[in-house]
Protein backbone atom coordinates (compact mmCIF):
# COMPACT_ATOMS: atom_id res chain seq x y z
CA UNK A 1 0.00 0.00 0.00
CA UNK A 2 1.25 3.49 -0.81
CA UNK A 3 2.45 5.58 2.13
CA UNK A 4 0.01 8.34 3.00
CA UNK A 5 1.32 11.84 3.46
CA UNK A 6 -0.65 14.85 4.67
CA UNK A 7 0.55 18.36 3.87
CA UNK A 8 -0.59 21.16 6.20
CA UNK A 9 0.91 24.38 4.78
CA UNK A 10 -0.78 26.62 7.39
CA UNK A 11 -0.24 30.38 7.52
CA UNK A 12 2.24 33.09 6.53
CA UNK A 13 5.33 31.66 4.82
CA UNK A 14 4.06 28.10 5.51
CA UNK A 15 2.46 27.65 2.04
CA UNK A 16 5.55 29.14 0.33
CA UNK A 17 8.06 26.77 1.95
CA UNK A 18 5.78 23.71 1.77
CA UNK A 19 5.31 24.27 -1.98
CA UNK A 20 9.07 23.86 -2.42
CA UNK A 21 9.18 20.82 -0.10
CA UNK A 22 6.34 19.18 -2.06
CA UNK A 23 8.27 19.64 -5.32
CA UNK A 24 11.22 17.82 -3.76
CA UNK A 25 8.99 14.88 -2.83
CA UNK A 26 7.35 14.71 -6.27
CA UNK A 27 10.76 14.89 -7.97
CA UNK A 28 12.00 11.94 -5.90
CA UNK A 29 8.93 9.93 -6.94
CA UNK A 30 9.30 10.86 -10.63
CA UNK A 31 12.99 9.91 -10.55
CA UNK A 32 12.16 6.52 -8.99
CA UNK A 33 14.01 7.33 -5.75
CA UNK A 34 10.80 6.98 -3.78
CA UNK A 35 7.83 4.63 -4.29
CA UNK A 36 4.48 6.28 -5.06
CA UNK A 37 3.00 8.18 -2.14
CA UNK A 38 -0.54 9.48 -1.69
CA UNK A 39 -0.34 13.18 -0.94
CA UNK A 40 -3.33 15.11 0.43
CA UNK A 41 -3.53 18.67 1.73
CA UNK A 42 -5.46 20.05 4.71
CA UNK A 43 -6.08 23.20 6.72
CA UNK A 44 -4.63 24.12 10.11
CA UNK A 45 -4.13 27.34 12.06
CA UNK A 46 -5.43 30.74 10.97
CA UNK A 47 -6.56 29.59 7.51
CA UNK A 48 -8.64 26.86 9.21
CA UNK A 49 -10.18 29.44 11.56
CA UNK A 50 -11.18 31.54 8.53
CA UNK A 51 -12.80 28.58 6.76
CA UNK A 52 -14.21 26.52 9.63
CA UNK A 53 -14.00 28.65 12.79
CA UNK A 54 -11.53 26.28 14.46
CA UNK A 55 -7.72 25.92 14.18
CA UNK A 56 -7.89 22.11 13.90
CA UNK A 57 -10.97 21.02 11.91
CA UNK A 58 -12.21 17.46 12.43
CA UNK A 59 -11.37 16.38 8.88
CA UNK A 60 -7.76 17.61 9.27
CA UNK A 61 -7.44 15.62 12.47
CA UNK A 62 -8.94 12.51 10.84
CA UNK A 63 -6.57 12.79 7.86
CA UNK A 64 -3.58 13.23 10.21
CA UNK A 65 -4.53 10.17 12.21
CA UNK A 66 -4.64 8.06 9.03
CA UNK A 67 -1.39 9.42 7.59
CA UNK A 68 2.03 7.82 7.87
CA UNK A 69 3.55 11.27 8.04
CA UNK A 70 2.39 14.88 8.26
CA UNK A 71 4.41 17.79 6.89
CA UNK A 72 3.42 21.11 8.41
CA UNK A 73 4.50 24.63 7.40
CA UNK A 74 3.71 27.09 10.20
CA UNK A 75 0.71 28.55 11.97
CA UNK A 76 -0.12 31.99 13.34
CA UNK A 77 -0.62 35.54 12.13
CA UNK A 78 -1.02 38.92 13.86
CA UNK A 79 -4.77 39.17 13.14
CA UNK A 80 -5.41 36.22 15.48
CA UNK A 81 -3.24 37.50 18.36
CA UNK A 82 -6.19 38.93 20.32
CA UNK A 83 -8.35 35.79 20.16
CA UNK A 84 -8.75 33.84 23.43
CA UNK A 85 -6.04 31.18 23.93
CA UNK A 86 -8.41 28.31 23.12
CA UNK A 87 -9.21 29.84 19.69
CA UNK A 88 -5.69 30.78 18.57
CA UNK A 89 -4.02 29.17 15.52
CA UNK A 90 -1.19 27.82 17.72
CA UNK A 91 -3.72 25.66 19.60
CA UNK A 92 -4.29 23.74 16.36
CA UNK A 93 -0.66 22.63 16.38
CA UNK A 94 -0.56 21.75 20.08
CA UNK A 95 -3.78 19.74 19.72
CA UNK A 96 -2.44 17.97 16.63
CA UNK A 97 0.75 16.91 18.46
CA UNK A 98 -1.33 15.59 21.36
CA UNK A 99 -3.80 13.76 19.12
CA UNK A 100 -1.02 12.12 17.08
CA UNK A 101 0.71 11.03 20.31
CA UNK A 102 4.07 12.25 19.02
CA UNK A 103 6.14 12.21 22.20
CA UNK A 104 9.70 12.36 20.82
CA UNK A 105 10.78 15.65 19.28
CA UNK A 106 13.96 15.35 17.22
CA UNK A 107 15.82 18.58 16.52
CA UNK A 108 19.10 18.30 14.62
CA UNK A 109 21.58 21.16 14.89
CA UNK A 110 23.89 20.93 11.89
CA UNK A 111 26.33 23.65 10.95
CA UNK A 112 26.87 23.45 7.19
CA UNK A 113 30.48 24.28 6.41
CA UNK A 114 29.35 26.96 3.95
CA UNK A 115 27.52 28.75 6.78
CA UNK A 116 30.05 28.61 9.66
CA UNK A 117 30.27 32.39 9.68
CA UNK A 118 26.51 32.72 10.40
CA UNK A 119 26.97 31.15 13.85
CA UNK A 120 27.37 33.22 17.00
CA UNK A 121 30.32 30.98 17.99
CA UNK A 122 33.85 30.92 16.55
CA UNK A 123 34.03 28.93 13.28
CA UNK A 124 36.38 26.28 14.70
CA UNK A 125 33.85 25.49 17.47
CA UNK A 126 30.97 24.85 15.04
CA UNK A 127 32.58 23.72 11.75
CA UNK A 128 31.25 20.20 11.13
CA UNK A 129 28.80 20.38 14.04
CA UNK A 130 26.11 17.67 13.78
CA UNK A 131 24.16 17.00 16.95
CA UNK A 132 20.62 15.80 17.60
CA UNK A 133 18.45 16.77 20.56
CA UNK A 134 15.64 14.34 21.41
CA UNK A 135 13.13 16.14 23.63
CA UNK A 136 10.12 14.62 25.37
CA UNK A 137 7.18 16.58 23.94
CA UNK A 138 3.85 15.73 25.52
CA UNK A 139 4.63 15.24 29.22
CA UNK A 140 6.66 16.76 32.05
CA UNK A 141 6.08 20.15 33.64
CA UNK A 142 4.17 21.60 30.67
CA UNK A 143 1.32 19.16 31.27
CA UNK A 144 1.70 17.92 34.90
CA UNK A 145 -1.16 18.36 37.40
CA UNK A 146 -1.79 20.15 39.68
CA UNK A 147 -1.20 23.46 37.97
CA UNK A 148 -2.63 26.94 38.26
CA UNK A 149 -2.44 30.22 40.14
CA UNK A 150 -4.03 30.02 43.60
CA UNK A 151 -4.51 32.38 46.57
CA UNK A 152 -2.56 31.50 49.69
CA UNK A 153 -1.95 33.64 52.77
CA UNK A 154 -3.16 36.75 50.98
CA UNK A 155 -0.93 36.40 47.90
CA UNK A 156 -1.00 34.55 44.57
CA UNK A 157 1.03 31.37 44.15
CA UNK A 158 1.88 29.85 40.75
CA UNK A 159 2.03 26.07 40.63
CA UNK A 160 3.30 23.63 38.01
CA UNK A 161 4.18 20.00 38.49
CA UNK A 162 7.08 18.16 36.89
CA UNK A 163 6.30 14.47 36.67
CA UNK A 164 7.41 11.58 34.50
CA UNK A 165 6.20 8.01 34.81
CA UNK A 166 8.67 5.24 33.96
CA UNK A 167 6.86 4.34 30.72
CA UNK A 168 7.20 7.92 29.46
CA UNK A 169 10.96 7.91 30.09
CA UNK A 170 11.36 4.46 28.53
CA UNK A 171 9.57 5.32 25.26
CA UNK A 172 11.52 8.58 24.91
CA UNK A 173 14.73 6.75 25.80
CA UNK A 174 14.10 4.08 23.16
CA UNK A 175 13.62 6.76 20.47
CA UNK A 176 16.85 8.49 21.53
CA UNK A 177 18.94 5.30 21.76
CA UNK A 178 17.59 4.21 18.34
CA UNK A 179 18.56 7.59 16.87
CA UNK A 180 22.06 7.25 18.35
CA UNK A 181 22.34 3.82 16.71
CA UNK A 182 21.78 5.44 13.28
CA UNK A 183 24.49 8.01 14.06
CA UNK A 184 27.78 7.86 16.03
CA UNK A 185 26.40 5.61 18.79
CA UNK A 186 26.73 8.08 21.69
CA UNK A 187 23.85 9.27 23.88
CA UNK A 188 24.00 11.89 26.62
CA UNK A 189 20.98 11.85 28.95
CA UNK A 190 20.30 15.26 30.53
CA UNK A 191 18.34 15.98 33.75
CA UNK A 192 18.82 17.51 37.21
CA UNK A 193 19.27 14.36 39.30
CA UNK A 194 21.19 16.43 41.86
CA UNK A 195 18.07 18.37 42.95
CA UNK A 196 14.95 16.79 41.37
CA UNK A 197 13.46 13.38 42.14
CA UNK A 198 12.17 13.32 38.56
CA UNK A 199 15.81 13.57 37.49
CA UNK A 200 16.88 10.71 39.78
CA UNK A 201 14.20 8.46 38.30
CA UNK A 202 15.07 9.61 34.76
CA UNK A 203 18.77 8.71 35.28
CA UNK A 204 17.94 5.34 36.81
CA UNK A 205 15.51 4.36 34.02
CA UNK A 206 17.88 5.45 31.24
CA UNK A 207 20.76 3.52 32.82
CA UNK A 208 18.75 0.28 32.99
CA UNK A 209 17.36 0.78 29.46
CA UNK A 210 20.86 1.31 28.07
CA UNK A 211 22.24 -1.75 29.88
CA UNK A 212 19.35 -4.07 28.89
CA UNK A 213 18.42 -2.96 25.36
CA UNK A 214 21.20 -0.79 23.93
CA UNK A 215 24.54 -2.11 25.28
CA UNK A 216 26.20 -1.05 22.01
CA UNK A 217 25.42 2.65 22.67
CA UNK A 218 27.78 4.71 24.83
CA UNK A 219 25.54 6.32 27.47
CA UNK A 220 26.59 9.30 29.59
CA UNK A 221 24.65 11.55 31.98
CA UNK A 222 24.85 15.31 32.45
CA UNK A 223 23.04 17.90 34.58
CA UNK A 224 20.99 20.34 32.50
CA UNK A 225 22.90 23.44 33.65
CA UNK A 226 26.21 21.85 32.67
CA UNK A 227 24.71 20.76 29.32
CA UNK A 228 23.78 24.39 28.60
CA UNK A 229 27.38 25.45 29.32
CA UNK A 230 28.88 22.63 27.27
CA UNK A 231 26.63 23.43 24.28
CA UNK A 232 28.16 26.89 23.95
CA UNK A 233 31.69 25.86 25.10
CA UNK A 234 32.33 22.71 23.04
CA UNK A 235 29.16 21.61 21.22
CA UNK A 236 30.91 19.02 19.04
CA UNK A 237 31.42 16.73 22.08
CA UNK A 238 27.76 15.62 21.71
CA UNK A 239 26.17 13.16 19.31
CA UNK A 240 22.59 12.67 20.63
CA UNK A 241 21.13 14.41 23.70
CA UNK A 242 17.98 12.97 25.34
CA UNK A 243 16.04 15.12 27.77
CA UNK A 244 12.62 16.08 29.14
CA UNK A 245 10.19 18.69 27.88
CA UNK A 246 11.38 21.76 29.82
CA UNK A 247 15.15 21.28 29.51
CA UNK A 248 14.71 20.18 25.89
CA UNK A 249 12.80 23.35 25.04
CA UNK A 250 15.65 25.52 26.29
CA UNK A 251 18.59 23.43 25.10
CA UNK A 252 17.21 22.88 21.58
CA UNK A 253 16.79 26.63 21.04
CA UNK A 254 20.32 27.26 22.30
CA UNK A 255 21.64 24.54 19.98
CA UNK A 256 19.66 26.03 17.09
CA UNK A 257 21.49 29.30 17.36
CA UNK A 258 24.84 27.54 16.96
CA UNK A 259 23.87 26.85 13.36
CA UNK A 260 23.07 30.34 12.08
CA UNK A 261 19.56 30.93 10.76
CA UNK A 262 16.21 29.70 11.97
CA UNK A 263 15.36 29.23 8.28
CA UNK A 264 17.67 26.19 8.19
CA UNK A 265 16.23 24.13 11.05
CA UNK A 266 13.97 21.08 10.55
CA UNK A 267 12.27 18.96 13.21
CA UNK A 268 10.51 15.64 13.56
CA UNK A 269 8.05 14.53 16.24
CA UNK A 270 7.55 10.77 16.37
CA UNK A 271 5.21 8.27 17.98
CA UNK A 272 6.28 4.73 18.87
CA UNK A 273 5.25 3.30 15.47
CA UNK A 274 7.46 5.60 13.36
CA UNK A 275 4.58 7.87 12.35
CA UNK A 276 5.64 11.46 12.50
CA UNK A 277 4.85 15.15 12.33
CA UNK A 278 7.56 17.01 10.44
CA UNK A 279 7.89 20.79 10.53
CA UNK A 280 10.43 23.56 10.19
CA UNK A 281 11.31 25.06 13.58
CA UNK A 282 10.47 28.58 12.40
CA UNK A 283 7.08 30.27 12.67
CA UNK A 284 4.89 31.89 10.01
CA UNK A 285 7.18 34.95 9.69
CA UNK A 286 4.43 37.50 8.94
CA UNK A 287 7.09 40.16 8.29
CA UNK A 288 8.17 38.42 5.06
CA UNK A 289 5.05 36.37 4.17
CA UNK A 290 3.91 36.56 0.55
CA UNK A 291 7.14 38.22 -0.61
CA UNK A 292 9.08 35.19 -1.87
CA UNK A 293 11.79 35.89 0.73
CA UNK A 294 11.49 32.84 2.99
CA UNK A 295 14.25 30.25 3.20
CA UNK A 296 12.66 26.91 2.15
CA UNK A 297 15.59 24.77 3.37
CA UNK A 298 14.15 24.08 6.85
CA UNK A 299 11.01 22.67 5.19
CA UNK A 300 13.06 20.71 2.64
CA UNK A 301 15.27 19.31 5.42
CA UNK A 302 12.07 18.34 7.26
CA UNK A 303 11.27 16.21 4.18
CA UNK A 304 14.72 14.67 4.53
CA UNK A 305 13.90 13.69 8.13
CA UNK A 306 10.52 12.32 7.02
CA UNK A 307 12.21 10.12 4.43
CA UNK A 308 14.60 8.79 7.08
CA UNK A 309 12.27 8.29 10.04
CA UNK A 310 8.79 7.55 8.62
CA UNK A 311 9.18 6.52 4.97
CA UNK A 312 12.16 4.19 5.39
CA UNK A 313 13.95 5.85 2.46
CA UNK A 314 17.43 6.70 3.70
CA UNK A 315 18.97 6.70 0.20
CA UNK A 316 16.48 9.35 -0.95
CA UNK A 317 17.12 11.25 2.31
CA UNK A 318 20.87 11.26 1.60
CA UNK A 319 20.16 12.66 -1.87
CA UNK A 320 18.13 15.52 -0.40
CA UNK A 321 20.80 16.42 2.14
CA UNK A 322 23.50 16.28 -0.58
CA UNK A 323 21.42 18.57 -2.83
CA UNK A 324 20.99 21.10 0.01
CA UNK A 325 24.71 20.96 0.80
CA UNK A 326 25.57 21.52 -2.87
CA UNK A 327 23.17 24.48 -3.09
CA UNK A 328 24.92 26.11 -0.13
CA UNK A 329 28.42 25.23 -1.32
CA UNK A 330 27.67 26.89 -4.66
CA UNK A 331 26.80 30.03 -2.71
CA UNK A 332 23.06 30.29 -3.34
CA UNK A 333 21.57 32.25 -0.45
CA UNK A 334 18.20 33.51 0.73
CA UNK A 335 18.39 36.81 2.64
CA UNK A 336 18.48 35.23 6.11
CA UNK A 337 21.72 33.33 5.43
CA UNK A 338 23.43 35.82 3.12
CA UNK A 339 26.75 37.34 4.14
CA UNK A 340 28.22 40.65 3.00
CA UNK A 341 28.47 40.73 -0.78
CA UNK A 342 26.44 37.54 -1.37
CA UNK A 343 23.76 37.80 -4.04
CA UNK A 344 20.32 36.90 -2.75
CA UNK A 345 17.65 34.69 -4.34
CA UNK A 346 14.03 34.12 -3.33
CA UNK A 347 12.18 31.15 -1.87
CA UNK A 348 11.08 29.64 -5.20
CA UNK A 349 14.53 30.05 -6.80
CA UNK A 350 16.22 28.45 -3.77
CA UNK A 351 13.80 25.51 -3.99
CA UNK A 352 14.54 25.22 -7.72
CA UNK A 353 18.30 25.07 -7.05
CA UNK A 354 17.78 22.11 -4.72
CA UNK A 355 15.65 20.41 -7.41
CA UNK A 356 18.37 21.04 -10.02
CA UNK A 357 20.95 19.26 -7.82
CA UNK A 358 18.52 16.44 -7.05
P1 LIG B 1 9.11 33.41 13.30
O1 LIG B 1 9.95 32.18 13.32
O2 LIG B 1 7.91 33.37 12.46
O3 LIG B 1 10.01 34.65 12.81
C1 LIG B 1 11.15 35.11 13.54
C2 LIG B 1 12.09 35.85 12.56
O4 LIG B 1 12.77 34.88 11.74
C3 LIG B 1 11.37 36.80 11.62
O5 LIG B 1 12.17 37.93 11.40
C4 LIG B 1 11.24 36.00 10.33
O6 LIG B 1 11.19 36.80 9.15
C5 LIG B 1 12.49 35.14 10.36
N1 LIG B 1 12.25 33.85 9.71
C6 LIG B 1 11.51 32.82 10.19
N2 LIG B 1 11.50 31.82 9.31
C7 LIG B 1 12.23 32.21 8.27
C8 LIG B 1 12.56 31.60 7.03
N3 LIG B 1 12.16 30.36 6.68
N4 LIG B 1 13.33 32.30 6.16
C9 LIG B 1 13.75 33.52 6.47
N5 LIG B 1 13.49 34.16 7.61
C10 LIG B 1 12.72 33.50 8.50
O7 LIG B 1 8.75 33.74 14.82
P2 LIG B 1 7.80 34.88 15.42
O8 LIG B 1 7.99 36.14 14.65
O9 LIG B 1 8.07 34.87 16.86
O10 LIG B 1 6.31 34.35 15.21
C11 LIG B 1 5.48 34.71 14.10
C12 LIG B 1 4.20 33.88 14.16
O11 LIG B 1 4.54 32.50 14.01
C13 LIG B 1 3.45 34.01 15.48
O12 LIG B 1 2.07 33.99 15.20
C14 LIG B 1 3.86 32.75 16.25
O13 LIG B 1 2.90 32.35 17.18
C15 LIG B 1 3.98 31.75 15.11
N6 LIG B 1 4.89 30.62 15.38
C16 LIG B 1 4.51 29.43 14.87
C17 LIG B 1 5.33 28.34 15.01
C18 LIG B 1 4.92 27.04 14.37
O14 LIG B 1 4.00 27.03 13.57
N7 LIG B 1 5.60 25.94 14.65
C19 LIG B 1 6.57 28.45 15.66
C20 LIG B 1 6.93 29.70 16.16
C21 LIG B 1 6.08 30.78 16.00
Amino acid sequence: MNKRLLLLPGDGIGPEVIAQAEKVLRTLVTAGDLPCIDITTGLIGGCAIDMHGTPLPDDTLAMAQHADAVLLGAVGAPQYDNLPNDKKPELGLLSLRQAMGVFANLRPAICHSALVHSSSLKPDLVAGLDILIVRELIGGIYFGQPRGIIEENGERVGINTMRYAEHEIIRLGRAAFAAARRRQGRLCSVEKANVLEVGMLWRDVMTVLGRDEFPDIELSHMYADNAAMQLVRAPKQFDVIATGNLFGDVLSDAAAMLTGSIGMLPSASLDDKGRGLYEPVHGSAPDIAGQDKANPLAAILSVEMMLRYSLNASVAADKVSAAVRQTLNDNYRTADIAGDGDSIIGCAAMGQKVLDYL
Side-chain angles (χ1 to χ4, degrees):
M1 202 165 88
N2 290 349
K3 294 276 188 186
R4 284 165 302 197
L5 170 59
L6 174 64
L7 301 181
L8 299 176
D11 306 318
I13 61 170
E16 298 171 53
V17 297
I18 293 301
Q20 302 311 315
E22 182 177 358
K23 283 186 205 161
V24 167
L25 275 164
R26 293 196 185 277
T27 300
L28 289 168
V29 173
T30 307
D33 290 320
L34 194 62
C36 277
I37 41 178
D38 295 331
I39 300 181
T40 49
T41 300
L43 294 172
I44 192 169
C47 57
I49 294 174
D50 293 346
M51 290 283 288
H52 300 288
T54 168
L56 183 62
D58 289 345
D59 64 334
T60 299
L61 184 56
M63 286 191 288
Q65 284 172 327
H66 284 97
D68 295 296
V70 177
L71 179 65
L72 183 135
V75 296
Q79 65 265 37
Y80 309 105
D81 283 353
N82 294 326
L83 291 176
N85 271 351
D86 62 346
K87 298 266 183 317
K88 284 192 172 158
E90 289 77 357
L91 185 77
L93 180 51
L94 294 180
S95 310
L96 181 65
R97 287 176 182 156
Q98 281 275 336
M100 289 181 69
V102 285
F103 58 82
N105 180 229
L106 277 60
R107 294 250 312 245
I110 296 172
C111 190
H112 294 269
S113 54
L115 296 180
V116 283
H117 295 288
S118 307
S119 172
S120 51
L121 293 194
K122 294 183 197 125
D124 59 313
L125 287 182
V126 290
L129 177 77
D130 180 357
I131 63 180
L132 177 70
I133 298 192
V134 182
R135 164 192 172 194
E136 200 289 325
L137 196 60
I138 57 175
I141 196 166
Y142 291 175
F143 296 92
Q145 295 289 346
R147 65 185 297 162
I149 299 176
I150 61 167
E151 283 282 325
E152 203 175 82
N153 300 327
E155 63 175 350
R156 290 178 303 158
V157 178
I159 300 173
N160 291 95
T161 302
M162 182 183 276
R163 55 171 291 148
Y164 274 115
E166 283 179 290
H167 76 271
E168 294 173 287
I169 305 171
I170 290 172
R171 67 184 185 182
L172 188 278
R174 283 197 180 119
F177 275 111
R181 206 171 249 168
R182 294 165 189 248
R183 296 168 48 97
Q184 297 167 32
R186 292 183 295 116
L187 177 64
C188 179
S189 170
V190 169
E191 26 60 9
K192 285 285 285 179
N194 49 345
V195 285
L196 299 175
E197 283 75 8
V198 176
M200 292 173 203
L201 180 70
W202 184 284
R203 185 173 288 217
D204 187 51
V205 170
M206 290 293 279
T207 303
V208 172
L209 185 65
R211 187 195 64 204
D212 292 352
E213 294 185 28
F214 300 91
D216 52 318
I217 303 299
E218 183 189 316
L219 173 66
S220 60
H221 305 273
M222 195 178 277
Y223 299 140
D225 46 345
N226 187 25
M229 280 199 295
Q230 297 302 327
L231 268 178
V232 292
R233 191 189 72 83
K236 284 191 264 184
Q237 69 183 279
F238 296 109
D239 177 19
V240 179
I241 291 175
T243 191
N245 208 341
L246 174 62
F247 299 138
D249 193 0
V250 178
L251 295 178
S252 58
D253 271 12
M257 277 304 99
L258 304 175
T259 68
S261 170
I262 193 162
M264 295 292 304
L265 298 167
S267 77
S269 304
L270 306 177
D271 72 1
D272 50 4
K273 296 179 197 70
R275 287 171 3 109
L277 171 62
Y278 297 83
E279 47 181 323
V281 167
H282 61 72
S284 58
D287 53 333
I288 56 168
Q291 300 171 40
D292 192 36
K293 286 184 178 166
N295 184 344
L297 295 185
I300 290 172
L301 291 168
S302 298
V303 166
E304 185 218 326
M305 293 191 83
M306 175 194 292
L307 294 166
R308 240 179 252 296
Y309 290 97
S310 287
L311 300 186
N312 222 351
S314 57
V315 174
D318 289 343
K319 288 190 177 177
V320 174
S321 79
V324 167
R325 205 166 38 245
Q326 195 63 46
T327 303
L328 295 170
N329 287 346
D330 288 352
N331 228 25
Y332 293 107
R333 299 283 187 272
T334 43
D336 58 308
I337 51 173
D340 292 342
D342 283 340
S343 55
I344 293 172
I345 60 175
C347 180
M350 194 71 162
Q352 186 56 50
K353 285 296 162 200
V354 176
L355 293 184
D356 293 346
Y357 291 120
L358 260 188

